[in-house]
Amino acid sequence: MKPAPFRYADPRSLDEALDVLSAEAGAKVLAGGQSLLPLLAMRLAAPSTLVDLNRVPGLDAVEATGDGVRVGALVRHAHLLRDTAAARVQPLLARATANVAHPAIRNRGTTVGSIAHADPSGEMTSVLALTDGSVTVATPGGRETVGWRDLFVGPLETSLSGPSVVVDAFFPALAERSGTAFAEISRRKGDYAVCGAGVVVTLDGDRRVAAVRASYISVGLVPEVHDLTEAVAGKPVDGADWAAAGALARTLVDPDGDIHASADYRRLLVGVLTERTLAEAAAEALERTAA
Amino acid sequence: MTTKLFGEPVRRREDARLITGKGRYLDDIGANALAAAFVRSPHAHARITGIDAEAALDVEGLVAIYTYEDLTGPMAEPLPVLIPHPQLHAPRTGYPLANGVVHHVGEPVVMVVATDRYVAEDAAERIVVTYEELPVVVGVDAAREARAAVHDDVPDNVAARHHQETGDVEAALAAAPHTLSFTQYIERSACMPLEGKGVHARWDADDASLRVYSSTQASTSVRAAIAAKLELSLDRVEVIAPDVGGGFGVKIVHPWPEELLVPMAAIRLGREVKWAEDRREHFIGSAHERQQRQEITVGYDDDGRVTALDVHVWHDNGAYTPYGIIVPIVTATQLVGPYALPVYRVVVESVYTNTVIVTPYRGAGRPQGCYAMERTMDRIADALGLDRAEVRRRNLITPDQFPYDHRLTFQDGRPVIYDSGDYPGLLDKLVALVGWDEAEALRADARARGKLLGVGMALYVEGTGPGPYEGGHVQVLGSGKVLVSTGLTSQGQGHETVFAQIVASELGVPIDDVEVHTGDTRRFAYAVGTFASRAAVMSGNAVALAARGVREKAIRIAAEVLEANPEDLEIDEGLVQVKGTPGASIPLRTVAVLSNPLRYAFDEAAKQATQFARAGSDDKPPVAPGDAPGLEHRDYYSPIRSTFASGAHAAVVEIDPQTWEIDVVRYAVVHDCGNVVNPMIVEGQVHGGVAQGVGGALYERMAYDGDGQLQNASFMDFLMPYASEVPDIVIDHQETPSPLNPLGIKGAGEAGVIPGTAAIASAIEDATGRRITSMPISPTELYDLMRDETAERTAASERTGAPA
Ligand SMILES: Cc1cc2nc3c(=O)[nH]c(=O)nc-3n(C[C@H](O)[C@H](O)[C@H](O)COP(=O)(O)OP(=O)(O)OC[C@H]3O[C@@H](n4cnc5c(N)ncnc54)[C@H](O)[C@@H]3O)c2cc1C
């Protein structure tokens, strides 16, 4: 469990980082190393050079505005978890990061790295999808914004190719009259979820359910957003049949089984977690509507 | 006496060193050593058709490559069957490097030595081994069915058929008022010490001697194995166990192939060579335990008293049997637990599978035995509609029945005779501690919160401290320092503290003056090792005897110089004094100086001693016949048979009926290991054991697929419980001293893990009303069980209102 030989680059600017990445097809970005280094140790990845972003200035800020939260490439999960301004604008961020691994890993691992890693078992890929977020990608040719649908191609696979660095991820603000909730079930505390669910409930002016969206973790090959509105549309919050939404969700997902959970069990959890999180999110939506 | 330390919760003296990173583990040794890496079999069963190392040869830093072809003499022979047994009729062992056929994924095929481990792995990656795959056998059932054979010449896959019986079971079952039969399974887990195995070897060509460090539980035996296999004289080999980061059984096995190959390479290359096992290697190249299929028939009367028990176990021993049939024998003999069984028959068929070998893991067959017996008690209670605690109580051996002879033969070849115990006492304490009789109220409370609650219990008796012997050496230096040495090794349990407590108490010296060394063949050449909960019993008693010898000599010498009667002397706080006569005293350190007639005045101690020294008599030699210079003593403790510790655990579980998550919300332990040397250390051992018990019941398993590939060979997917998964544990002690040894102690190391699976299975069954017949169990499996229309329900499920 020792990595194959690789070179190490320690760029001091984004341009310098992109230069190294352009010069070598086998070069790979290193952020917190919490996913990449285990892959190296098991020789499942053998990059020619690791391009360490950690000394590139200007990538470590969380900017919360009325539009949403922009998270720099070097922002650690632990930082985002503690950022109260970000949590006000988009409460899913803190709720989800609290479920990412253990404190030691959250102190090093980056939220953007997690998204670039495109693990369907990761919380933040799913949150990017659920909030309809995007990433900013820097290439030698300039910067572009890539929406989540275009970003996630497969498990551990993004559409990014050639020399590119994700400089930030943008999570749009929670809409008015909306509430969110996040819950997951893992075998042990802090483990990757056996199944997780993030939901957003939006009410109309009459405090009736207008829209319900959900995204699941460790369910399917890429993050997806499911519209569950039809199960509860137009219902008052306290009269909504969240179980019906859970039942609908179960029909929409297509989970796989593995050594920790059968596909059927994951489907069961999708239903249970949907029902539980929707009730919670609706209560929050109601609160935010009243306020 | 101010120095009475026996029984006190003395803080562990090793902790400051180990916790602040000052431990010296295997990989801390030999920073400049060459490193070894292994090419291991990727197949569970295959014939090697070729090994092509060509591409590795130009890796810069490569030093040597060894295959089976390079092994000579005894190294080219199969590894030893460490513990042969007449009922192990078809023992098979591997070779240090595979010879023709591999029998499990992970078996070492090629050894690479290079300037460091990175380079060694680079070279290993380029070595191409070609294989012809052979049929694979995974799991006890497949082994039993024997559609394929693991070893060609063992077509039924049965390595051993172990059989014991105490009477005519058939007749007793026929006469029983009731009988019931069932089959159940238990899965594999493993020791998983945080530090894997590791070996460092240095050949001193000038001295023609070999020094080996090994992360082992048995340094003296590793030494003997290396000397034999490498054809060295024993006196040319020394083996030291440095700080060892956990063992739990896997490091008692020896010699591991690497323990022979690393020294071999060091000698051949004339360079230091080191190998530190990585986690993946540990998963696929060490040892596992616990998989069994158990077929049980029990006869019992209207009151729930067992009249006959018939057990047939299929035990998965993996690909080889280097450690004999210790685990099957332990299951067979410890299964009976604290119960008086009029007639008992057990057959264990130990079968080969194409998986990692099975050798003792903490508990060593006892968790399986306990699972068989305790689940039998649960079944009887359920069938008769009786309380599970009550059925157990009716079957317990009573305190007046000791010594209790089960008429069985234990793993050490000695009779299973329980020396002492109070099992009804344990049960009463447990019932009070866990609130057994309030279970219905707990259940109602949980139901109100939308949870299913269940309680379960399990009792066990554990044979601890088997022989043949262990030794201790105690020496008082002129500085007053007391050196204690025993050959048995330590893996972090607290041996340094416990042995220091015993010696300080026996000798009458401050504990801070006592220095303890373990597992170093340079200091103590005769030892057996750390396993079977034997360290405190065996080495504890040995160092106590050695300390008593030192004390006797010190008093004899002091009596002469103080011109006092030896009976009037006592030793306290390092001072030998005449009882009740203040001032008439001599420091023990001065006695140590006086004990050696050769006294150059190198230091203050020697100068001070001259005031006591008297001119020797001209007609006697300076060292009297039969005496020896120095204040030291060596002694051995060799028990007549094992001493039997006991305990009772209860678990309260809560289950979420929507997600089927299982939470152990309360865990109670009543523990009896005779006289307790250090209650804090015993409780720590219990805590660790319970954690492993919870792991074995709810989280851990070896997920082999049908091809013999281990799918969860990492800490990502092999789920050892974190602190967050281990329940709070409440402990009550009971002390029934052992009459067999001078200190009256019984072993405590393994106990905590034994009843976990049985107690938790019982609690889950109680909560769900579904028969639990396979452990461990995870939420996804419980979900399958709950929606299986054909799943068996317990009779009690009506009463407890279990889910429909
Ligand atoms: C024991 C353990 C448990 C974990 N549990 C969880 C969990 O429960 N949930 C969870 O979501 N994660 C979990 N993780 C992963 C953790 O969240 C990682 O932090 C995260 O997946 C990757 O972030 P990183 O900064 O460490 O990225 P790295 O490991 O440095 O990189 C990961 C990948 O992303 C690429 N990359 C990183 N940053 C960029 C960038 N700015 N631009 C382009 N490419 C980039 C790298 O090239 C690499 O391919 C766990 C990790 C461990 C070790």
Side-chain angles (χ1 to χ4, degrees):
Chain A
M1 300 222 312
K2 302 286 186 207
F6 59 85
R7 285 182 296 277
Y8 174 76
D10 192 18
R12 305 300 156 123
S13 71
L14 201 55
D15 286 344
E16 206 187 312
L18 287 168
D19 282 348
V20 185
L21 289 165
S22 308
E24 271 179 58
K28 219 165 171 35
V29 170
L30 173 71
Q34 297 303 292
S35 294
L36 186 53
L37 296 188
L39 291 176
L40 258 62
M42 290 185 266
R43 296 196 179 215
L44 295 172
S48 58
T49 298
L50 286 187
V51 183
D52 188 348
L53 286 189
N54 285 281
R55 285 171 196 81
V56 173
L59 297 179
D60 57 356
V62 176
E63 286 166 36
T65 66
D67 293 339
V69 180
R70 193 170 293 281
V71 178
L74 289 177
V75 172
R76 316 289 159 173
H77 297 299
H79 175 176
L80 189 57
L81 175 59
R82 285 192 309 265
D83 197 306
T84 48
R88 265 197 301 277
V89 174
Q90 180 45 272
L92 272 172
L93 294 177
R95 285 181 186 152
T97 40
N99 285 281
V100 176
H102 312 273
I105 291 155
R106 293 200 292 263
N107 285 340
R108 276 189 175 269
T110 63
T111 301
V112 168
S114 200
I115 289 166
H117 192 52
D119 187 344
S121 301
E123 285 76 6
M124 302 318 288
T125 46
S126 176
V127 170
L128 190 77
L130 184 58
T131 59
D132 203 20
S134 58
V135 294
T136 308
V137 182
T139 63
R143 294 190 176 213
E144 59 169 332
T145 301
V146 180
W148 72 271
R149 278 180 206 284
D150 298 326
L151 183 68
F152 299 124
V153 177
L156 307 186
E157 194 185 348
T158 65
S159 58
L160 305 183
S161 63
S164 48
V165 173
V166 179
V167 290
D168 60 47
F170 181 71
F171 301 89
L174 181 61
E176 277 189 1
R177 294 195 302 272
S178 300
T180 73
F182 191 96
E184 67 178 45
I185 287 174
S186 54
R187 287 303 320 276
R188 301 172 299 183
K189 274 203 184 57
D191 280 354
Y192 280 104
V194 166
C195 179
V199 295
V200 181
V201 174
T202 303
L203 306 182
D204 64 17
D206 296 332
R207 302 183 178 187
R208 288 169 186 274
V209 178
V212 173
R213 279 175 298 131
S215 182
Y216 302 98
I217 295 160
S218 302
V219 174
L221 304 178
V222 289
E224 281 181 78
V225 177
H226 298 282
D227 192 333
L228 306 178
T229 312
E230 67 179 78
V232 282
K235 296 280 167 31
V237 166
D238 47 7
D241 182 1
W242 304 121
L248 173 61
R250 288 172 66 153
T251 66
L252 298 177
V253 295
D254 185 18
D256 282 326
D258 59 28
I259 58 170
H260 301 303
S262 67
D264 269 5
Y265 180 62
R266 286 210 161 87
R267 197 184 299 279
L268 170 82
L269 295 184
V270 162
V272 174
L273 292 177
T274 301
E275 188 181 338
R276 288 181 184 176
T277 49
L278 284 183
E280 209 183 309
E284 185 181 78
L286 198 61
E287 220 171 87
R288 285 170 48 107
T289 305
Chain B
M1 268 215 304
T2 50
T3 33
K4 191 203 162 293
L5 290 160
F6 191 101
E8 295 298 313
V10 174
R11 296 185 85 173
R12 286 164 43 108
R13 44 168 50 197
E14 43 274 83
D15 282 351
R17 182 169 55 85
L18 298 179
I19 289 171
T20 57
K22 298 199 179 80
R24 192 157 153 276
Y25 296 92
L26 193 281
D27 211 12
D28 297 324
I29 292 163
N32 297 318
L34 298 175
F38 291 86
V39 177
R40 294 174 184 275
S41 171
H43 300 294
H45 194 190
R47 181 167 291 111
I48 298 171
T49 53
I51 299 178
D52 181 357
E54 194 61 35
L57 297 181
D58 54 351
V59 171
E60 204 182 313
L62 174 72
V63 176
I65 295 176
Y66 302 104
T67 68
Y68 176 77
E69 299 303 318
D70 299 302
L71 306 182
T72 56
M75 284 292 281
E77 293 166 16
L79 291 162
V81 180
L82 219 45
I83 310 167
H85 190 284
Q87 291 173 342
L88 174 59
H89 61 268
R92 295 292 177 273
T93 53
Y95 294 81
L97 292 169
N99 174 19
V101 179
V102 287
H103 294 99
H104 68 86
V105 170
E107 203 170 336
V109 179
V110 184
M111 181 192 197
V112 177
V113 182
T115 46
D116 63 44
R117 178 66 181 250
Y118 293 82
V119 176
E121 290 193 19
D122 293 344
E125 203 177 39
R126 296 179 181 212
I127 295 172
V128 182
V129 184
T130 46
Y131 298 89
E132 178 192 322
E133 288 184 55
L134 297 168
V136 172
V137 178
V138 176
V140 269
D141 283 333
R144 204 171 122 249
E145 286 156 19
R147 274 196 285 270
V150 174
H151 298 281
D152 279 350
D153 49 354
V154 189
D156 62 358
N157 291 318
V158 178
R161 205 167 274 115
H162 179 66
H163 173 202
Q164 298 203 36
E165 61 184 82
T166 65
D168 187 343
V169 165
E170 313 278 344
L173 284 175
H178 312 274
T179 61
L180 62 81
S181 298
F182 61 101
T183 297
Q184 61 178 9
Y185 290 85
I186 184 167
E187 247 285 5
R188 278 184 175 214
S189 183
C191 302
M192 286 301 145
L194 284 191
E195 184 201 26
K197 295 176 298 184
V199 190
H200 170 274
R202 176 162 54 208
W203 173 249
D204 183 335
D206 297 329
D207 192 49
S209 67
L210 180 72
R211 179 185 297 177
V212 177
Y213 292 90
S214 181
S215 186
T216 178
Q217 294 174 230
S219 50
T220 46
S221 303
V222 171
R223 178 192 188 205
I226 291 172
K229 282 289 191 177
L230 299 183
E231 298 178 282
L232 296 167
S233 168
L234 191 64
D235 72 303
R236 299 287 88 195
V237 182
E238 52 199 35
V239 175
I240 300 143
D243 282 324
V244 172
F248 308 105
V250 62
K251 296 175 183 175
I252 189 64
V253 180
H254 60 270
W256 285 103
E258 300 87 353
E259 272 172 334
L260 301 172
L261 293 164
V262 169
M264 179 196 83
I267 295 171
R268 290 199 192 177
L269 299 170
R271 310 262 308 265
E272 281 177 63
V273 180
K274 178 165 74 177
W275 168 75
E277 184 180 59
D278 69 30
R279 188 55 56 187
R280 183 168 162 77
E281 287 183 292
H282 189 76
F283 270 100
I284 62 173
S286 286
H288 304 161
E289 210 216 285
R290 305 249 203 275
Q291 190 177 56
Q292 288 183 352
R293 169 193 163 102
Q294 304 177 329
E295 300 160 0
I296 297 165
T297 300
V298 63
Y300 54 99
D301 65 17
D302 293 342
D303 296 328
R305 285 195 181 81
V306 174
T307 56
L309 181 65
D310 191 15
V311 180
H312 192 148
V313 174
W314 294 86
H315 169 86
D316 168 11
N317 60 226
Y320 301 113
T321 50
Y323 210 72
I325 53 169
I326 293 295
V327 176
I329 298 176
V330 172
T331 296
T333 51
Q334 299 265 265
L335 189 147
V336 294
Y339 306 110
L341 305 179
V343 188
Y344 171 55
R345 176 171 71 184
V346 60
V347 175
V348 187
E349 308 216 37
S350 191
V351 290
Y352 287 113
T353 58
N354 290 114
T355 57
V356 167
I357 60 169
V358 168
T359 66
Y361 156 36
R362 194 180 201 170
R366 293 178 187 84
Q368 299 95 309
C370 179
Y371 175 59
M373 187 74 243
E374 293 297 311
R375 302 293 290 138
T376 302
M377 289 293 162
D378 289 341
R379 296 256 182 174
I380 294 171
D382 192 49
L384 294 176
L386 292 171
D387 177 49
R388 287 167 290 164
E390 183 54 31
V391 168
R392 286 172 167 83
R393 186 173 286 116
R394 291 175 185 174
N395 282 287
L396 291 175
I397 295 163
T398 53
D400 58 347
Q401 288 180 285
F402 291 97
Y404 186 88
D405 187 350
H406 270 292
R407 292 165 292 143
L408 296 167
T409 303
F410 199 37
Q411 51 139 316
D412 55 1
R414 303 271 165 147
V416 178
I417 301 176
Y418 291 176
D419 49 335
S420 65
D422 178 0
Y423 308 144
L426 285 177
L427 184 57
D428 290 344
K429 284 186 176 211
L430 183 74
V431 163
L433 190 64
V434 77
W436 184 264
D437 295 333
E438 291 94 63
E440 287 316 311
L442 293 176
R443 206 189 300 283
D445 168 71
R447 199 176 294 126
R449 289 181 285 109
K451 294 283 173 67
L452 304 173
L453 182 140
V455 299
M457 65 163 58
L459 281 64
Y460 66 92
V461 172
E462 182 198 0
T464 69
Y469 65 83
E470 214 56 66
H473 180 252
V474 174
Q475 179 179 21
V476 183
L477 300 183
S479 61
K481 187 193 272 187
V482 180
L483 298 180
V484 179
S485 177
T486 182
L488 164 151
T489 58
S490 181
Q491 297 85 46
Q493 297 93 330
H495 295 166
E496 267 179 72
T497 306
V498 167
F499 298 154
Q501 270 179 271
I502 291 173
V503 170
S505 295
E506 291 288 342
L507 202 50
V509 297
I511 192 167
D512 289 341
D513 288 348
V514 183
E515 196 177 296
V516 176
H517 295 271
T518 60
D520 184 341
T521 64
R522 295 171 303 181
R523 289 175 178 268
F524 210 100
Y526 288 92
V528 181
T530 299
F531 59 95
S533 305
R534 66 193 295 283
V537 178
M538 298 303 303
S539 283
N541 278 293
V543 299
L545 294 174
R548 287 176 192 180
V550 169
R551 185 175 188 281
E552 201 183 296
K553 182 167 185 180
I555 286 194
R556 172 162 56 78
I557 296 170
E560 275 173 36
V561 294
L562 295 174
E563 294 175 339
N565 192 334
E567 281 89 79
D568 296 336
L569 294 184
E570 61 179 9
I571 309 180
D572 189 25
E573 288 292 318
L575 203 63
V576 192
Q577 58 198 25
V578 181
K579 285 177 212 160
T581 312
S585 65
I586 178 170
L588 193 61
R589 60 174 158 21
T590 309
V591 177
V593 175
L594 290 174
S595 70
N596 181 358
L598 181 64
R599 282 192 297 280
Y600 295 119
F602 292 130
D603 54 16
E604 276 310 304
K607 284 179 209 153
Q608 277 169 18
T610 44
Q611 61 174 303
F612 291 99
R614 292 178 303 166
S617 149
D618 284 342
D619 51 8
K620 284 189 195 152
V623 178
D627 204 354
L631 185 51
E632 62 179 329
H633 189 73
R634 179 184 305 272
D635 214 331
Y636 291 85
Y637 172 61
S638 181
I640 180 108
R641 68 182 83 90
S642 294
T643 170
F644 288 81
S646 55
H649 290 202
V652 182
V653 304
E654 270 187 23
I655 294 171
D656 182 323
Q658 290 187 307
T659 64
W660 304 106
E661 289 167 285
I662 305 160
D663 198 7
V664 182
V665 294
R666 192 184 288 186
Y667 200 98
V669 175
V670 185
H671 187 250
D672 187 344
C673 59
N675 290 334
V676 173
V677 186
N678 184 325
M680 186 159 62
I681 285 179
V682 167
E683 291 195 2
Q685 289 293 313
V686 170
H687 289 163
V690 169
Q692 288 179 309
V694 169
L698 298 175
Y699 297 98
E700 299 168 3
R701 71 180 67 221
M702 290 296 164
Y704 274 107
D705 68 12
D707 295 328
Q709 299 290 341
L710 187 57
Q711 295 175 286
N712 60 342
S714 83
F715 279 167
M716 201 83 164
D717 287 315
F718 177 82
L719 308 178
M720 283 202 294
Y722 300 133
S724 46
E725 280 63 51
V726 179
D728 284 339
I729 301 159
V730 286
I731 301 181
D732 198 356
H733 292 278
Q734 174 175 289
E735 295 191 36
T736 52
S738 172
L740 297 183
N741 63 69
L743 299 177
I745 57 186
K746 303 176 177 181
E750 296 170 276
V753 77
I754 297 170
T757 289
I760 291 172
S762 184
I764 295 171
E765 186 166 288
D766 185 43
T768 61
R770 298 300 190 283
R771 201 72 80 187
I772 304 296
T773 57
S774 184
M775 289 294 277
I777 187 163
S778 63
T780 187
E781 290 162 321
L782 184 55
Y783 172 53
D784 286 341
L785 184 69
M786 296 309 293
R787 64 198 175 123
D788 178 358
E789 297 289 329
T790 66
E792 187 187 343
R793 285 153 191 269
T794 60
S797 60
E798 297 282 312
R799 183 169 47 80
T800 57

